[in-house]
Amino acid sequence: MKRFWSSVIALALLVLVSASAQAQMHEVTGRVTATNGQPLVGVLVAVAGQSTGARTNDRGEFRLQVPTGDVTVVARAIGYKRGTQRISSGSSTADFSLEKDVLELEGVVVTGQATSTERQNAATAVAVVSSAALSRVPATSLESALQGKVIGASINMNNGAPGGGGQIQIRGQSSLIGRIEPLIIIDGVAISNATRSNRMAVVTGSLNSGEENGTNRLADINPNDIESVEILKSAAASAIYGSQATNGVVVITTKRGKEGSPRLNFTQRVGTSALIRKQGSRHFANLADALTAVAGNNEGIAAATAACTATSCPYFDYQQELYGHKDPSFESVMSLSGGVGGTRYYASGSDKQESGIALNTGARRQSLRANIDQAVGQRITISLGSNLLRSFSQRGVSNNDNAFSSPIYGFGYTPAIVDLQAKDALGEYVLNPFAGGGTLKGSNPFQTFDEMTSNEDVYRLIFSGRANWAAYSGDKNSLTFSLQGGADRYSNENYIRAPQNLQFQRAGTTQGGTFPGTIIQGNGTERLTNVSGSAVWAFTPGWVSATTSAGVQLQDRSFNDYNMVGRGLGPQQFVAFGAQSITVTDRQEKSRTQAAYAQEELLLFGERLNLSGAIRGERASLNGDPTQIYYYPRAAASYRFVSPVRFVDQLKLRTSLGVSGNQPGYGDRFLALTSYGLIGGLPAYGLPATIGNPLIKPERLNEFEVGLDGAFFGDRMSLEATYYNRSLTDLLVRPQLAPSTGITGTTVNGGEMTTKGYEFGLTLVPVQTNDLTWTSRTTWFQSRADITSFPPGVQPFTTSSIGGFGNAYGRLRFTPGHTVTTIWGNKVINGATVGNQPLADANPKYVMSFGNDLSYKSLNFNFLVDYRRGGTISNMTLSLFDEGLNTWDYDKPSPDPAIGATLGAYRYNLWNGGGNTEPYLVDGSFTKIREVNLSYQLPARMVSRIRGAQSGKISLSGRNLFIISGYNGFDPEVNNGGNFVVRFIDLAPFPPSRSFWLSLDLGF
């Protein structure tokens, strides 16, 4: 810590020394307009090579201080091609007319902690998603809004529960048991994307926290406040973040104010959601047919006999009745922005109420944001931002469990011949006599969703601040110092109440036992803070633009979590205290990362050649030796050929090498003791079953990337192509330990894996006139991750149930010589069952997206389609229904009556009690209509009828409208265990939904 502050003081001393010389300046004024003559607001006008300058007001006017002498001035605006002018020493005016950047070739991308570069000069693959692309169709969370828009990123939602819950995986698998999520940065602040356990497993009997249907914290973020999202995919791009960057970095920039008069924008949306893909269940023809599904269950036999006749059985559409709700959803968004003099501001507030498709489910997200930028004199700028968020969700029960409390799980064993919504004379729900073999084994999902409480309430504050001092600015040199910091803190309160009258919580049931009824109260708080100081020297003599930067960084994380579980409830009991059995769990974590970096960037030959190199040195308390410094270098180069041949506007070749890391998990290094209770009347302590490793260190990623970017036919077509080869060493793995040691697990470094992939993007502008513009974009990518070796003592190993339920259903088994995504299971060879056989691969062969945007005068229409080819799914939902003789297609003709008389019996018998895994390993290919949006810019005469309004737009949009797939289930995108290194388990998910929205946008 002392060394860190010594570095900060050293930077401050450099600032004082640099202030001794200042160059003579003179003022340049001008105006920036679009090609149609309309003024452009908020355009950045700056001397070439400098990141700070002046911004245009609401009339498009600017005033810029430039060094005396001939200088080059650049005007940049999002959505427009940049304008460049050479201004002589005697000139004091400069006007710019900017063309629209339909292909999005312009823009600025991150290259360092305090630097950026023009997108056209970037030496690594760049993925940027604009504000317009994020917000045109409302989404449950930011992950959902990003789907299909980032080449090389697999973005999936875990299920259809309201409130979000998704996973971003950049360039395939980058670890086996380590961190798999990308680092998230908002306005320079690293934020948490944790998924906290609410201990639902205690209530339902599920096997791991991934099955608890939790929400990761990226779902808190309001997409309406985002200006852009940049994804750093390659190690050369993400190495600036060191040992937190192996899985990529998502850099989010929020909206800021623009100079000019105050502008108020108001958006009101109303929408609804509906079940997309209902599977239903078996229709039983008569009593004899129904009795085959309840054989051996006396209560079930009695219920079937009462419900059916010799010629017919009733049918109740449980899935439609439970998940068929279409209650309205609402979203209100308001923002105020503007700027005068040296002050720019942006403030917003939003309230989104999302109704779930199931009874008593929904989510509410509220946000208040304030961003301010203040110039202090000519050389100092201060930027502050704060965001207060609240996320409340009620997501019900879903995924795997052991009490048939998850609705889809229970429906698999429940013939739909009894009205489970019925109540007796006392107002109590009827008991489900089928699932599990009787009323003491199963549950009534309608009762569960109606009477059980499951709330998650999150309050969160994200704060960021940055101060820049342009200490020196001359005609060829500039020196800028920056101090940046911020914090992210949230409090996540969970409350679950499963009263004792719930069928699966009654006395004598699997979960109720001798303590009927459960209440869980808990809270988790996490705080991330970071501060960094940097210095940037820009040298622009004309023949070269050189940017040298260096800095230091400190990041702290603390986490505190507790849960109180009360079992055995009294009448009308609503708190855990006072329950017959009370258990408390708690956990605390603290970690610190310190780093320093240096970077050099060169632009030569008229900004055609870009060379860059950097190194980061870092130490972290999570490592076995917290004083050991690990280094992460990178180098990149690109060259642009401008109009080399006819029809080719520019062609850029790029290549890069980079190293990044992945920190060990908290506790992987600790050699702690655990209590053995009392021995001989005295407290006893010893080694725990899982021990730490004092030699643990970060995983290490070395990546080579090569690619090209081109623009053709007068900027009517753009192409991007990338190949990458990633080598991961020092993998975190689990060795096999001798049982005689009494130690069952530890984590060590060793082994290697490689990930290779290709990424392609093609953007076309087939039509571009004054009235009509048609833009089409297609993306394609694939990746493959192979385990090449393990160190001595490490045998092929499996994960917990989150990675599969054993050989019978297919599981992960990390083995050298095979892909990370290989699914292992039982196979019949020469008439005998052989275990641990490689059967299929969960990795898709490739992923594509196809988007189109058509604008005609005031009308705009766009849509986005996602396509995934291949990727095997373990369809355990199908196996549940087959086992319960209750599948929607159970009675279809059998491919081989000798194995099973019907299709359902054929599948289940072929599976042979798990002896043959393959029948339920199925193709997960799909096509999804992700987004459709139709908007109309209201004419001025209509808008003028609303007092004070200056613009208006009305939109009709839909998300996830259709799933086109041969997959025999709800949705091949879901995953039972939530966020995990490989996604392939479909087990009783919350069904997916489509949403429709009507929006009105007004500008004042």
Side-chain angles (χ1 to χ4, degrees):
M1 188 68 179
K2 291 181 179 179
R3 291 182 181 178
F4 171 78
W5 287 113
S6 297
S7 300
V8 173
I9 293 171
L11 281 175
L13 291 175
L14 284 174
V15 169
L16 295 175
V17 172
S18 67
S20 60
Q22 303 294 338
Q24 293 183 351
M25 311 289 285
H26 77 277
E27 186 177 74
V28 173
T29 61
R31 191 166 183 261
V32 183
T33 61
T35 53
N36 60 5
Q38 292 294 317
L40 295 178
V41 182
V43 179
L44 176 63
V45 184
V47 176
Q50 297 185 11
S51 58
T52 58
R55 292 191 179 270
T56 57
N57 59 22
D58 51 3
R59 297 182 297 278
E61 300 168 343
F62 69 89
R63 293 179 177 273
L64 177 68
Q65 296 292 321
V66 302
T68 301
D70 296 346
V71 294
T72 300
V73 175
V74 180
R76 304 184 189 93
I78 294 176
Y80 290 86
K81 298 178 182 179
R82 67 173 179 170
T84 303
Q85 286 196 39
R86 185 70 176 173
I87 300 176
S88 63
S89 59
S91 177
S92 61
T93 61
D95 293 331
F96 296 86
S97 179
L98 304 186
E99 298 179 40
K100 279 196 172 182
D101 181 22
V102 180
L103 295 180
E104 298 182 350
L105 299 175
E106 301 282 351
V108 175
V109 296
V110 171
T111 60
Q113 296 279 4
T115 58
S116 59
T117 190
E118 299 283 347
R119 183 173 184 176
Q120 66 176 3
N121 296 322
T124 58
V126 175
V128 180
V129 182
S130 67
S131 172
L134 285 173
S135 60
R136 66 166 59 107
V137 179
T140 55
S141 65
L142 181 57
E143 297 101 322
S144 179
L146 287 171
Q147 285 183 300
K149 299 169 186 174
V150 181
I151 307 176
S154 298
I155 304 175
N156 300 280
M157 305 308 292
N158 292 329
N159 56 39
Q167 179 176 354
I168 300 175
Q169 191 172 57
I170 299 172
R171 290 189 170 175
Q173 292 73 31
S174 297
S175 182
L176 300 180
I177 61 174
R179 176 189 169 103
I180 60 171
E181 293 288 336
L183 177 65
I184 311 294
I185 305 290
I186 297 184
D187 292 337
V189 178
I191 70 163
S192 172
N193 190 31
T195 302
R196 178 177 171 269
S197 169
N198 61 5
R199 300 301 307 281
M200 178 67 82
V202 175
V203 176
T204 65
S206 58
L207 301 179
N208 58 71
S209 61
E211 296 175 338
E212 295 174 341
N213 191 20
T215 304
N216 54 301
R217 296 277 55 88
L218 189 59
D220 301 334
I221 306 303
N222 179 16
N224 298 291
D225 283 338
I226 295 175
E227 183 67 38
S228 67
V229 177
E230 182 178 348
I231 289 84
L232 308 183
K233 298 182 288 185
S234 71
S238 63
I240 55 176
Y241 295 100
S243 65
Q244 302 177 75
T246 287
N247 302 296
V249 182
V250 178
V251 180
I252 299 172
T253 302
T254 63
K255 295 177 180 178
R256 318 293 299 191
K258 299 178 180 179
E259 187 172 341
S261 55
R263 289 173 290 278
L264 178 67
N265 292 285
F266 176 74
T267 299
Q268 181 61 55
R269 298 185 177 114
V270 60
T272 188
S273 298
L275 182 64
I276 300 180
R277 197 174 164 96
K278 182 186 66 174
Q279 294 299 329
S281 60
R282 185 181 178 187
H283 290 247
F284 294 92
N286 50 50
L287 176 60
D289 204 17
L291 289 177
T292 62
V294 296
N297 176 1
N298 293 333
E299 290 178 298
I301 293 172
T305 302
C308 298
T309 68
T311 58
S312 66
C313 282
Y315 178 76
F316 296 90
D317 194 343
Y318 293 151
Q319 294 174 23
Q320 182 63 39
E321 291 168 355
L322 184 62
Y323 297 107
H325 293 252
K326 299 179 181 179
D327 297 335
S329 298
F330 304 93
E331 183 175 23
S332 302
V333 184
M334 183 178 291
S335 66
L336 177 67
S337 64
V340 59
T343 304
R344 290 181 290 126
Y345 57 88
Y346 172 86
S348 71
S350 67
D351 185 1
K352 182 177 182 180
Q353 301 177 60
E354 176 188 354
S355 297
I357 60 173
L359 177 69
N360 286 336
T361 62
R364 186 172 188 177
R365 182 174 60 210
Q366 297 166 295
S367 171
L368 289 174
R369 172 174 287 278
N371 289 345
I372 187 168
D373 301 282
Q374 179 65 54
V376 182
Q378 296 292 325
R379 300 188 173 277
I380 297 176
T381 58
I382 298 175
S383 300
L384 301 175
S386 62
N387 192 190
L388 178 62
L389 300 149
R390 191 231 178 173
S391 298
F392 178 80
S393 61
Q394 297 170 308
R395 295 168 61 86
V397 182
S398 62
N399 299 328
N400 177 55
D401 75 86
N402 286 299
F404 300 92
S405 56
S406 177
I408 301 300
Y409 198 115
F411 287 157
Y413 298 90
T414 304
I417 57 178
V418 173
D419 183 6
L420 294 181
Q421 295 189 83
K423 297 182 180 181
D424 60 21
L426 298 177
E428 295 290 334
Y429 279 91
V430 299
L431 300 179
N432 181 352
F434 301 118
T439 56
L440 289 178
K441 302 292 185 180
S443 73
N444 183 335
F446 295 94
Q447 180 196 37
T448 300
F449 272 57
D450 188 19
E451 298 181 1
M452 179 176 167
T453 301
S454 177
N455 297 341
E456 180 184 67
D457 202 357
V458 177
Y459 282 88
R460 186 172 192 174
L461 178 63
I462 302 174
F463 172 80
S464 63
R466 184 184 182 95
N468 291 335
W469 180 22
Y472 176 80
S473 181
D475 57 346
K476 297 181 181 180
N477 293 273
S478 67
L479 181 62
T480 303
F481 293 90
S482 300
L483 183 64
Q484 180 169 313
D488 171 30
R489 186 188 187 279
Y490 70 81
S491 172
N492 180 337
E493 180 180 313
N494 57 289
Y495 177 77
I496 298 173
R497 181 176 183 268
Q500 62 271 44
N501 63 304
L502 290 184
Q503 180 175 342
F504 71 98
Q505 283 287 316
R506 295 180 306 146
T509 60
T510 302
Q511 292 303 112
T514 57
F515 298 110
T518 304
I519 287 179
I520 302 174
Q521 294 174 267
N523 188 280
T525 59
E526 186 174 15
R527 184 184 70 247
L528 278 74
T529 59
N530 63 271
V531 60
S532 61
S534 59
V536 180
W537 172 45
F539 177 55
T540 54
W543 61 273
V544 66
S545 175
T547 303
T548 305
S549 59
V552 293
Q553 184 182 53
L554 172 68
Q555 179 176 316
D556 284 339
R557 174 186 178 268
S558 65
F559 178 71
N560 185 20
D561 184 275
Y562 76 88
N563 278 282
M564 180 184 297
V565 179
R567 299 184 62 225
L569 306 181
Q572 299 300 309
Q573 183 171 343
F574 292 90
V575 295
F577 181 78
Q580 298 175 46
S581 172
I582 296 177
T583 57
V584 177
T585 60
D586 64 344
R587 180 179 177 88
Q588 288 188 340
E589 300 177 4
K590 288 187 177 181
S591 63
R592 167 168 290 184
T593 301
Q594 297 170 301
Y597 73 93
Q599 178 171 291
E600 182 65 40
E601 300 170 271
L602 300 174
L603 283 174
L604 303 116
F605 307 128
E607 295 193 0
R608 296 188 181 189
L609 176 63
N610 180 16
L611 301 173
S612 67
I615 188 167
R616 174 183 169 110
E618 178 185 293
R619 63 184 184 185
S621 63
L622 294 177
N623 300 328
D625 181 358
T627 65
Q628 173 69 44
I629 297 177
Y630 295 89
Y631 293 96
Y632 302 96
R634 70 179 180 93
S638 68
Y639 188 85
R640 289 191 303 120
F641 298 90
V642 180
S643 301
V645 295
R646 191 180 180 187
F647 304 126
V648 178
D649 306 316
Q650 66 173 345
L651 189 66
K652 180 179 67 177
L653 301 178
R654 49 182 168 79
T655 186
S656 65
L657 290 166
V659 180
S660 61
N662 198 18
Q663 293 181 348
Y666 183 84
D668 282 351
R669 75 179 184 93
F670 295 137
L671 291 172
L673 298 178
T674 188
S675 174
Y676 278 28
L678 295 177
I679 298 179
L682 297 175
Y685 297 90
L687 290 175
T690 300
I691 65 170
N693 177 6
L695 301 178
I696 203 75
K697 57 185 178 180
E699 297 177 311
R700 195 166 183 87
L701 166 66
N702 294 266
E703 181 175 23
F704 167 72
E705 178 188 279
V706 63
L708 65 86
D709 304 308
F712 310 88
F713 305 109
D715 286 350
R716 299 289 289 272
M717 183 179 87
S718 70
L719 172 69
E720 55 185 292
T722 302
Y723 165 76
Y724 60 87
N725 189 334
R726 315 179 114 198
S727 175
L728 293 110
T729 58
D730 293 330
L731 287 176
L732 297 172
V733 292
R734 296 194 179 110
Q736 189 173 25
L737 302 175
S740 59
T741 64
I743 300 171
T744 59
T746 189
T747 303
V748 300
N749 291 100
E752 299 182 6
M753 61 181 280
T754 61
T755 303
K756 301 177 182 179
Y758 301 88
E759 301 168 352
F760 295 97
L762 177 66
T763 304
L764 299 172
V765 186
V767 179
Q768 187 174 24
T769 67
N770 290 334
D771 293 331
L772 176 63
T773 300
W774 173 20
T775 305
S776 177
R777 179 163 174 78
T778 302
T779 67
W780 181 98
F781 68 89
Q782 68 172 193
S783 67
R784 173 189 169 105
D786 289 274
I787 303 172
T788 56
S789 68
F790 278 164
V794 177
Q795 301 297 318
F797 64 93
T798 62
T799 61
S800 64
S801 59
I802 197 171
F805 292 84
N807 276 318
Y809 297 98
R811 64 178 178 178
L812 299 179
R813 184 172 182 264
F814 300 132
T815 306
H818 294 270
T819 64
V820 177
T821 49
T822 297
I823 300 174
W824 300 73
N826 292 326
K827 187 174 184 178
V828 178
I829 301 176
N830 297 325
T833 295
V834 181
N836 290 328
Q837 296 298 300
L839 302 177
D841 202 304
N843 189 45
K845 294 181 179 178
Y846 59 85
V847 177
M848 292 184 67
S849 70
F850 181 62
N852 281 266
D853 191 315
L854 294 95
S855 296
Y856 177 70
K857 294 185 177 180
S858 299
L859 199 64
N860 180 264
F861 174 72
N862 54 69
F863 66 88
L864 177 65
V865 178
D866 245 358
Y867 175 66
R868 186 176 80 181
R869 179 73 174 91
T872 298
I873 304 295
S874 175
N875 194 345
M876 294 182 65
T877 302
L878 183 64
S879 72
L880 293 180
F881 277 78
D882 279 351
E883 187 171 67
L885 286 72
N886 198 26
T887 323
W888 43 89
D889 62 353
Y890 192 88
D891 291 316
K892 287 187 176 181
S894 169
D896 187 349
I899 296 177
T902 64
L903 177 60
Y906 168 81
R907 283 189 303 249
Y908 191 73
N909 293 343
L910 191 63
W911 179 63
N912 191 27
N916 178 19
T917 308
E918 291 180 310
Y920 294 110
L921 297 181
V922 298
D923 180 28
S925 300
F926 65 77
T927 300
K928 289 193 175 186
I929 312 300
R930 289 289 187 194
E931 296 181 357
V932 176
N933 179 67
L934 177 65
S935 64
Y936 176 65
Q937 201 73 34
L938 300 176
R941 66 178 184 277
M942 184 180 296
V943 176
S944 63
R945 296 177 183 176
I946 303 174
R947 181 174 296 180
Q950 297 180 351
S951 63
K953 182 177 69 174
I954 190 168
S955 307
L956 180 63
S957 59
R959 179 172 294 280
N960 293 328
L961 296 185
F962 302 102
I963 301 176
I964 304 169
S965 176
Y967 181 71
N968 195 9
F970 291 98
D971 186 355
E973 184 181 325
V974 302
N975 189 47
N976 173 69
N979 296 3
F980 196 59
V981 61
V982 182
R983 305 169 58 89
F984 73 101
I985 300 174
D986 176 349
L987 178 53
F990 194 112
S993 64
R994 58 168 64 95
S995 61
F996 302 89
W997 292 88
L998 178 65
S999 305
L1000 175 63
D1001 298 83
L1002 294 174
F1004 296 86

